[in-house]
Amino acid sequence: MWKEMLLQLLIALLPVFLFLVWFDRPDRTRRVSLFLAVFCGMAMLLDMRLSVVLEQGIHFDLRHIPLIIGSLYGGVTVAVFLSVLYAGARLFEVLSPSKMMLLGFFMVIFIPPLIRHSLKFPQYGRIRRYKIALLLFALVFGIYIVVTIMVGYGSAPVRFWNGSGVRLAYWAVFLFGIVTSVYFLELAFERVQLQRELQDISHKYRGEVQRLQQFIDQAPLVVIIFDAEGYVTHVNEETLKLIDPLGLSSKDLLYRHFEDITHLGGIVHNSPIERNLRGEERIVEMIDFGGKTFYTVTCTIKDQGSQLPEGIMFIGHDVTELQQLKDEVGRMERLSLVGQMAASITHEIRNPMAVIRGFVQLLNERSPSEQQSYFHIVLEELDRANGIINDFLSLAQNRIVEKEFSSLHEVMSDLTPLLRADANMRGQMVETSLNQETEPLAINSKEIKQLVLNLARNGMEAMKDKGILRIETVNLEDTVQLRVVDHGVGIPQEKLEHLFEPFYTTKANGTGLGLSLCLSIVERHNAKIEVESVVGAGTTFIVTFCKPGRQCR
Ligand code: ADP
Ligand code: MG
């Protein structure tokens, strides 16, 4: 009897043990239902087949264990499948009407809650799952008692408890089987869940490491990582790019001791790595290497838990350009100081020159007429010097100008008579094509007049007699353009880049200040100036103003 009971238990638990062996990876989750349907079904049939016959012809077996466990853990489809299998197998073996009744009773009372619980079972917590399994056990037990008492299998109902230690043992084994099955299945699922979490974590970790690796390799920084003994363990792309011109490759750095590396960089003593190994945790230094200047940080890599040093990280940022820029700014500052001094000296020269001019004028008026041509030359030269001083001062002072809204058209109308008179004297002509619809711009009219005058004079000077100078204003979507077009000698390519430099001139009595003054005016108006020129055909200067409230490049 006990032997048979043990066999029953082993068969009932067989699906669970097989499951434990089989369900060892998260990718098996999809086939859990199929597995449980097949093995629980088989175990159920086997249990039925090897049913133990107790006294009074009562069959005892543990078929309910695979039925309950398979249904709950396999889901609703498996529950329906096992129920149908159960009923079919029972029908096969059942003959007597009382047993038919028991089956009917069982199907009506037990199967619906089994299917209902199997529906939501996966969403429950562990304790609730135990409770449901125990509840179903209690239901089977209850049905058995009710049926035994009611029908009594043809004997007196009281018999149920009479001398039935075996039956008690049977129910104890049943309970043990249910609890053990749930315990082991939970264990299997928990194990796989843990595996899945571990996989997720390691996946994330790997991603992080890869990202970090990519960052280190792609960052425009020289990164060299040393281990705690000072041997190189990693060098990034930027480092390789840096040493490539020196004929070195990663082989010359990787797994080498830091002293070999610092020797390459020309540092023999007291390298930051050496200092770090001696205990300094963070060293910031400027280092020159391969004609470049690097801002470097050397720091200790520590184990997050124990805080013990695990290695050294050397990071270098190429600041050569920044350094050059800094030097340049310093130079500019000194130059600007010289410029300011020149400006104040020039300013001071203006006063005595005004006095000189006044007296020369006086002398001129009082002198005999044959000497007047000399005075005339002196006066002209004084005026020219004064012009240079004025231009230079406007350039050097670079003051903030007041702007007001007025249209280019108005400015040009004021200026045109002057330009015409100028052109007339040279035997040339000025043609204007002014767009009446140009929007008002925030400009300083005085400065814009100066700008046009400078450009126009240059144009006239570049043309031979009888040339025609064109001045146009063009209304574009976001901008207004001013164009000064001449048909003069043109400007060769190599001279174009020097045009706006102060004191650049190709004329015998030019100052070279006209265009640089134009440039500073243009910059003060947030505009831009461009030159298009064809040698022998002419030149066009284009000044582009941004309309108020528009975005211009
Ligand atoms: P300057 O007129 O006193 O020489 P600018 O700064 O006005 O000084 O001009 C600098 C130089 O640019 C001129 O000497 C000339 O060589 C060249 N240049 C300027 N405008 C023109 C032009 N429209 N056509 C040809 N060359 C020009
Ligand atoms: Mg000029």
Side-chain angles (χ1 to χ4, degrees):
M1 182 66 71
W2 292 103
K3 238 195 291 168
E4 275 106 355
M5 217 181 273
L6 192 66
L7 185 64
Q8 281 281 329
L9 184 65
L10 283 180
I11 294 170
L13 292 182
L14 192 66
V16 174
F17 290 133
L18 286 179
F19 188 80
L20 266 182
V21 176
W22 171 78
F23 191 56
D24 62 347
R25 288 199 307 269
D27 58 353
R28 298 241 153 117
T29 312
R30 271 181 293 126
R31 273 171 281 153
V32 163
S33 295
L34 184 65
F35 184 95
L36 288 176
V38 171
F39 286 96
C40 288
M42 265 162 51
M44 195 171 71
L45 293 181
L46 258 177
D47 267 339
M48 282 166 136
R49 187 77 194 83
L50 300 172
S51 210
V52 187
V53 183
L54 298 181
E55 73 270 31
Q56 304 126 31
I58 297 172
H59 285 259
F60 271 122
D61 54 64
L62 297 173
R63 70 186 86 164
H64 297 106
I65 296 180
L67 174 65
I68 293 174
I69 296 302
S71 301
L72 292 181
Y73 283 92
V76 71
T77 331
V78 180
V80 171
F81 167 73
L82 290 179
S83 305
V84 171
L85 193 66
Y86 177 85
R90 280 295 271 163
L91 278 177
F92 217 77
E93 73 178 19
V94 161
L95 291 170
S96 76
S98 62
K99 284 184 179 177
M100 278 294 265
M101 212 180 115
L102 175 63
L103 176 62
F105 198 52
F106 184 81
M107 292 309 281
V108 172
I109 303 286
F110 182 76
I111 298 303
L114 177 72
I115 292 179
R116 208 185 60 224
H117 282 306
S118 69
L119 216 70
K120 285 196 168 172
F121 195 72
Q123 298 159 18
Y124 295 147
R126 187 138 59 110
I127 303 295
R128 188 138 183 216
R129 292 188 193 193
Y130 272 106
K131 278 188 192 161
I132 287 170
L134 290 176
L135 186 94
L136 291 170
F137 163 77
L139 206 56
V140 178
F141 188 52
I143 292 169
Y144 173 78
I145 289 176
V146 171
V147 171
T148 314
I149 290 171
M150 274 167 51
V151 185
Y153 282 90
S155 326
V158 202
R159 279 241 190 120
F160 176 66
W161 295 113
N162 279 357
S164 49
V166 177
R167 287 187 218 174
L168 271 181
Y170 163 76
W171 286 106
V173 170
F174 190 168
L175 184 63
F176 171 77
I178 284 281
V179 173
T180 315
S181 302
V182 175
Y183 174 77
F184 280 115
L185 285 179
E186 287 299 321
L187 206 70
F189 279 106
E190 209 168 277
R191 192 179 61 187
V192 164
Q193 177 64 25
L194 272 177
Q195 254 185 41
R196 191 176 293 143
E197 276 166 21
L198 202 71
Q199 264 180 8
D200 279 359
I201 291 173
S202 73
H203 190 74
K204 266 188 211 149
Y205 179 72
R206 213 176 310 137
E208 285 298 323
V209 169
Q210 271 169 3
R211 266 194 290 280
L212 202 69
Q213 180 83 35
Q214 256 175 24
F215 171 77
I216 291 177
D217 280 342
Q218 300 302 323
L221 298 169
V222 169
V223 180
I224 307 175
I225 299 176
F226 299 84
D227 64 10
E229 271 84 50
Y231 285 90
V232 176
T233 56
H234 185 85
V235 283
N236 74 340
E237 300 277 324
E238 195 68 18
T239 316
L240 297 181
K241 263 191 247 163
L242 182 73
I243 58 168
D244 189 49
L246 307 174
L248 299 171
S249 69
S250 59
K251 269 192 286 170
D252 300 294
L253 296 186
L254 273 178
Y255 314 115
R256 292 292 197 86
H257 196 244
F258 78 90
E259 278 170 359
D260 303 338
I261 311 293
T262 43
H263 272 101
L264 287 177
I267 310 168
V268 182
H269 297 298
N270 226 12
S271 73
I273 315 295
E274 197 179 324
R275 281 160 63 191
N276 188 288
L277 285 173
R278 280 204 307 261
E280 266 183 76
E281 285 199 352
R282 188 182 156 85
I283 300 136
V284 179
E285 244 180 28
M286 297 295 262
I287 293 179
D288 287 322
F289 178 75
K292 292 181 174 175
T293 309
F294 291 88
Y295 173 84
T296 68
V297 177
T298 310
C299 53
T300 311
I301 305 170
K302 284 184 180 171
D303 179 77
Q304 279 200 333
S306 64
Q307 290 295 310
L308 285 172
E310 279 199 325
I312 303 162
M313 169 118 77
F314 173 86
I315 305 169
H317 183 204
D318 183 353
V319 289
T320 318
E321 269 179 33
L322 210 71
Q323 200 67 27
Q324 280 169 354
L325 225 63
K326 234 166 113 181
D327 295 348
E328 185 73 3
V329 169
R331 208 174 61 86
M332 296 290 274
E333 270 170 6
R334 284 193 299 279
L335 264 182
S336 135
L337 197 70
V338 173
Q340 276 168 22
M341 277 164 57
S344 40
I345 293 169
T346 321
H347 186 74
E348 291 308 315
I349 291 173
R350 219 160 32 170
N351 293 337
M353 269 182 50
V355 177
I356 293 169
R357 194 182 191 285
F359 281 106
V360 171
Q361 186 94 39
L362 200 70
L363 285 176
N364 178 26
E365 279 159 20
R366 292 187 184 172
S367 57
S369 56
E370 67 270 16
Q371 284 179 9
Q372 278 188 356
S373 62
Y374 300 129
F375 285 112
H376 208 70
I377 292 171
V378 175
L379 281 173
E380 251 181 18
E381 285 305 302
L382 275 174
D383 284 344
R384 208 167 76 80
N386 217 21
I388 294 173
I389 285 172
N390 283 341
D391 277 356
F392 176 71
L393 282 181
S394 351
L395 190 66
Q397 281 165 356
N398 210 354
R399 62 199 178 274
I400 297 165
V401 292
E402 282 176 17
K403 293 177 199 155
E404 54 194 29
F405 278 99
S406 62
S407 76
L408 275 188
H409 179 67
E410 280 167 33
V411 177
M412 288 309 301
S413 314
D414 285 355
L415 195 62
T416 318
L418 185 71
L419 289 176
R420 292 235 154 89
D422 212 344
N424 254 344
M425 284 194 348
R426 299 169 196 261
Q428 295 171 337
M429 294 225 306
V430 174
E431 235 180 50
T432 54
S433 151
L434 305 176
N435 189 322
Q436 311 272 339
E437 273 140 37
T438 54
E439 275 179 42
L441 302 167
I443 50 176
N444 179 294
S445 319
K446 224 172 121 191
E447 285 211 328
I448 297 299
K449 278 179 196 165
Q450 179 80 59
L451 169 82
V452 180
L453 208 64
N454 284 1
L455 294 179
R457 282 204 175 131
N458 276 349
M460 290 178 202
E461 280 163 6
M463 291 191 292
K464 305 232 169 59
D465 299 347
K466 299 207 169 55
I468 298 174
L469 183 82
R470 270 184 72 78
I471 300 178
E472 303 167 0
T473 55
V474 188
N475 193 16
L476 297 173
E477 196 182 340
D478 291 326
T479 54
V480 177
Q481 278 190 347
L482 171 81
R483 291 159 173 264
V484 180
V485 189
D486 68 59
H487 302 287
V489 288
I491 309 164
Q493 187 62 36
E494 69 276 8
K495 289 187 179 160
L496 274 177
E497 56 200 77
H498 301 294
L499 281 194
F500 296 96
E501 287 172 8
F503 304 110
Y504 174 79
T505 179
T506 55
K507 298 168 194 166
N509 54 0
T511 63
L513 289 172
L515 282 182
S516 52
L517 190 58
C518 287
L519 182 65
S520 70
I521 292 173
V522 160
E523 279 170 357
R524 279 198 287 274
H525 284 80
N526 295 327
K528 64 176 182 198
I529 184 163
E530 289 157 309
V531 194
E532 288 167 6
S533 186
V534 179
V535 176
T539 308
T540 305
F541 277 86
I542 307 164
V543 184
T544 312
F545 296 90
C546 194
K547 287 182 185 173
R550 307 291 171 85
Q551 285 288 323
C552 312
R553 274 186 301 123

